[in-house]
Every structure is written in C-alpha cells, then in structure tokens.
Amino acid sequence: MSDSKHVAYEDAGVDIAEGGRAVDAIKQMVKDTNRPEVIGGIGGFGGLFSAAALKDMEDPILISGTDGVGTKLVLAQIMDRHETVGQDLVAMCVNDILASGAEPLFFLDYVAIGHIEAEHMAKIIKGVADGCKLAGCALVGGEMAEHPGVMAPADYDLAGFTVGVVDRPKMLDPANVRPGDVILGLPSTGVHSNGYSLVRKVIGVDGIKPGTPEAAAKAEELSRPLEELGGASLADALLAPTRIYVKPILELLRGGAPVHAIAHITGGGITENLNRALADDVDAVVTRNGAEMGWDVPPVITYVSRQAELAPNEACKTFNMGVGLCLIVAPEDEAAVTEALVALGEKPFRVGECVEGSGKVVYSDER
C-alpha cells in the first residue's frame, strides 16, 4: 500500500481564497477603465471588446505591444511603494504603439508574485488602472500568478500587453522623414523605466532584500531630501512614474498635425530609439555640448550619470536625458506643431535636426 498522504493546493503555498479576495478588491478599478466597446467584465476566460468601430476606417491596422517595468520594481519593493509601477507598465506599452499613431484600445497585465495579499495586489493594479485611464484604454483582463517556493513572498514581476488601432492612411512611417526635418521633444518625468540596473548600483541597493532591517535603513536613506535634486529625495525622483503621452499626441494627430514620425525614448536612450524613427538615408543630429544637452535634463538623471561617471555617449545610450517622446516634422511645420502642442498643455523643445546619412543618431559636438 502507498504511504503517501493527501496534500492540498494550500499546503503547496498557493492561497486560493486570498487570490479571490484580490480579484474582488480590483473589480471596481477595472470597471472604471471601461470604454463603450468593452463587453462584460473580468472573470471570464477572455476579455471581450467590440471591433465594430473599426469598420468606419478605410484600412484599420491593429498594432500590439508588450513590455515590463524591469528592475525598477526592486526599488519599489525596497521602498514598499507599489502604487505607481502599474502606470510604468502601461506607459511602456502604449507609448510604443503611439509611435505608429495608434490609439490603444485595451490592455492586459500579468503579475507573478511569491505570495498574494489582496491589499498589496490592489496597490499594484491601481497603478495599472490609473495608467489605462491616462491612456484612454480599457483594462479588459489579466493574470495573478502565485509562485511559492520560486519567488520570495514579497517579490513580484509585471508584464503588460496592449492592442491599438490606426487607419493605414494615417499611420506614421519613418520613410517619410527627410533631410532638413526638425526633431521636437516632449519632456520626461525623469528616468521613466529604463536604466535601473545601473541606478541600483549607483544608489547601493543591489543585494538588499525587501522587508529586512537593511532595506528599512536604505529606504530611510533614499527618502532624505537632496540638494542636487532641488530638495526632492532619490526615492521620489526615481519612483516617479513614466509619462503617458497618448491623449495629447492623439489629439494633435487628429487635428491634422503633419507629423512625419515619432520615437518613444526607452531602453537604449536617445541613441538607440530615435534612430527607429528615421528613414534609411537620414541621420538625426542631436544638440549636445559635452555633457550638456540642448535642453534641461532632469536633476535625477544628471545626478545618476555623474555618480556613475558616465561619458556623454554612455549617458545618452542609457537614459532618456529628459526626452520622453520625439516628434519629427518638416521645418516649415515646426512653428505650427509647437504652437499646437503648447495649446495642449505640453512644453515642447527642439532636440535637433535631420541630415543626409544612414539612419543613425549622431551628436552635434562630435560632428
């Protein structure tokens, strides 16, 4: 006879009841993101979204995007501040598809966590829901996956997925970029969600486990105001959520603004993202004089770059340098597009210009 004994799912570390409480805690948050196209609510095997409106487009193109928040989550866990990383998650996805001129329609999230606690999960999903509202897309579903024995109880990771649409005749295409075009920038809110593997080393949080006395001491240190940051703390500056540019940019494009291309400045900084919005025979010349860019760089980016002793090219290949989104326009349209952006509450600035080349980003101080 077998000597085995019954083992329940809970005995393996998965708390089904707490998972149910977590779902109940986020239902209203999810409902608050609904668009008219959403059918039903969460709880089914799939999120339902009507595509009837797409029939009014000449040639609707669906555009999808997926991303995560990365090691910024380590800092959030050490600080025990989880309310804004969900916005980072949404931003990284919807800003990417915005580069094609697409409107994000709906979003799904995936949370992998060591142990589900309903209140903790609600904080994370609140950020996702807030991000969806800022982007105008519906949170139609997601997954909470408890990984006991694989992840520490307080450890978690996030992944997000979005689907958007653009009418093909209105889709932005880097092939339209020409020599002489002007590159405009919209300001970032700071580091956004990239470069945190370097940030973690600079601020000394590598190897610190959340919930320990060491983490509490580090959290207190990072919460102190710094003169170099204008009196802000490193915690506040580094956990500021990624800006979501969807609503003003879609309004700009719907108004007929002649934008040739858009670049979302994420991992790889200006150097490895602006080139994605260039035609093959065009280079982008970005204004720079040594370590100084041609616009105001957020103090937190300057602080981390100096602490890491980054050369200008390293900094521009790691951080957004204060530019969250770039728009490329013809020189004769620069004034009108700038004026329209200002009317939408934006603070655009000139990043550089396009010249004949081979699809690369170069800097004015190296030419």
Side-chain angles (χ1 to χ4, degrees):
M1 293 180 63
S2 172
D3 195 31
S4 63
K5 62 180 180 178
H6 172 73
V7 179
Y9 208 8
E10 289 83 351
D11 297 325
V14 176
D15 191 337
I16 297 174
E18 190 66 12
R21 285 190 287 272
V23 172
D24 289 340
I26 68 172
K27 278 185 176 177
Q28 187 58 48
M29 299 177 197
V30 174
K31 187 176 181 181
D32 289 344
T33 71
N34 277 0
R35 294 169 47 125
E37 300 95 329
V38 173
I39 300 169
I42 61 171
F45 287 102
L48 306 180
F49 191 93
S50 172
L54 275 58
K55 293 185 290 186
D56 296 331
M57 294 184 177
E58 181 179 333
D59 185 5
I61 304 296
L62 293 177
I63 302 181
S64 59
T66 182
D67 211 332
V69 180
T71 59
K72 185 175 186 176
L73 292 178
V74 174
L75 182 58
Q77 290 166 27
I78 288 171
M79 298 302 302
D80 194 24
R81 290 168 54 172
H82 313 283
E83 294 84 358
T84 60
V85 289
Q87 178 176 326
D88 287 297
L89 183 67
V90 176
M92 297 304 290
C93 297
V94 298
N95 286 343
D96 273 359
I97 69 168
L98 179 65
S100 297
E103 174 189 2
L105 300 174
F106 56 83
F107 190 86
L108 298 98
D109 63 78
Y110 176 86
V111 185
I113 192 165
H115 176 67
I116 290 177
E117 291 184 4
E119 290 184 3
H120 184 201
M121 192 62 66
K123 289 179 181 179
I124 296 171
I125 302 304
K126 181 183 184 301
V128 177
D130 288 345
C132 286
K133 286 187 280 188
L134 287 170
C137 61
L139 180 56
V140 296
E143 170 70 4
M144 302 175 194
E146 199 167 23
H147 291 171
V150 177
M151 304 175 74
D155 192 17
Y156 65 94
D157 198 7
L158 304 178
F161 315 87
T162 192
V163 172
V165 66
V166 61
D167 204 352
R168 189 191 288 267
K170 298 178 181 178
M171 187 164 62
L172 301 181
D173 186 350
N176 295 326
V177 175
R178 297 285 182 266
D181 281 357
V182 173
I183 307 164
L184 300 176
L186 295 184
S188 69
T189 50
V191 184
H192 280 185
S193 300
N194 302 104
Y196 278 82
S197 293
L198 175 63
V199 167
R200 284 175 18 244
K201 289 185 179 297
V202 168
I203 64 175
V205 300
D206 271 357
I208 294 179
K209 304 256 184 227
T212 63
E214 188 181 10
K218 177 56 73 170
E220 183 181 357
E221 175 192 327
L222 295 175
S223 298
R224 295 172 193 155
L226 287 182
E227 185 178 344
E228 300 99 312
L229 303 184
S233 70
L234 270 172
D236 287 342
L238 291 171
L239 287 175
T242 306
R243 252 203 87 190
I244 292 175
Y245 298 92
V246 171
K247 288 185 177 179
I249 295 303
L250 287 181
E251 189 168 346
L252 177 79
L253 296 176
R254 286 166 181 158
V259 176
H260 288 170
I262 289 176
H264 179 208
I265 310 302
T266 58
I270 295 173
T271 305
E272 296 189 353
N273 284 283
L274 181 53
N275 63 332
R276 298 162 70 182
L278 300 176
D280 291 339
D281 59 351
V282 173
D283 281 352
V285 181
V286 175
T287 305
R288 188 181 70 185
N289 182 13
E292 300 297 321
M293 308 304 294
W295 57 88
D296 292 333
V297 177
V300 66
I301 293 179
T302 301
Y303 174 87
V304 174
S305 298
R306 286 176 179 168
Q307 293 293 315
E309 298 182 348
L310 295 183
N313 280 353
E314 291 177 299
C316 290
K317 200 173 180 179
T318 305
F319 299 120
N320 62 56
M321 306 307 292
V323 187
L325 203 74
C326 287
L327 296 85
I328 302 179
V329 301
E332 63 268 23
D333 296 320
E334 178 184 8
V337 172
T338 298
E339 184 179 344
L341 286 167
V342 171
L344 289 167
E346 296 297 325
K347 297 178 179 178
F349 49 85
R350 185 186 268 226
V351 169
E353 61 181 355
C354 296
V355 299
E356 290 185 6
S358 57
K360 298 182 298 185
V361 175
V362 297
Y363 295 89
S364 59
D365 58 355
E366 293 185 333
R367 297 187 77 208

